[in-house]
Amino acid sequence: MKILGIDPGIGRMGYGVIEKKSGKEIFLAAGLIETPAGMPHADRLCMLAKELKKILTRHEPDVAAIESLFFAKNVKTAFDVAQARGVAIFLCRKAGLIIEEYTPLQVKIALTGYGRAEKIQVAAMTKKLLVIPDRSNGSGRSIGPQELIQDDTLDAIALCLTCAAFLRH
């Protein structure tokens, strides 16, 4: 089963793709979709949609794990994230994916067993749990601290792992 994780945002949307195979979570891809701050808002949403559609076509996931919104102090930011999230949910559903939504608390509990875990603890467990295939010989290796992964990308991968834990397929 392929899982696409999405950490929604208007300026930066993190994504990760894993495959759950024989009880292991195998890293397939991750990255950021970034939109320029000076671009009109509607154009930024269209850019997110265009790039996310490419990811859906390239990886053909079965499930999308998307972070649920939590109340933010900055209402404008919350609206922008909600709109980006809406674009992601729409495209994933239109592609026939099952949509699973997780709160930051659920992610922390799934990965660390502790709901008040710090971001660095979640990142460490994400890196520890995931196997990245070695393209040269087909074997796998764990992500180590040397991996340079943006926060939004790491959050998206953590959503993938949370989904894999909850679905138990």
Side-chain angles (χ1 to χ4, degrees), residues 88-99:
I89 289 171
F90 172 75
L91 284 174
C92 289
R93 193 67 192 117
K94 187 175 177 189
L97 276 63
I98 297 166
I99 308 289

Side-chain angles (χ1 to χ4, degrees), residues 10 16 27 34 38-39 42 53 56 64 67 81 83 90 98-99 106 126 132 145 147 150 152 162:
I10 189 73
F27 174 85
E34 297 183 89
M39 182 183 275
K53 196 170 184 181
L56 289 165
E67 186 174 69
V81 172
Q83 289 175 334
F90 172 75
I98 297 166
I99 308 289
Q106 287 175 304
T126 298
I132 297 181
E147 299 292 331
Q150 299 284 341
D152 301 302
T162 300

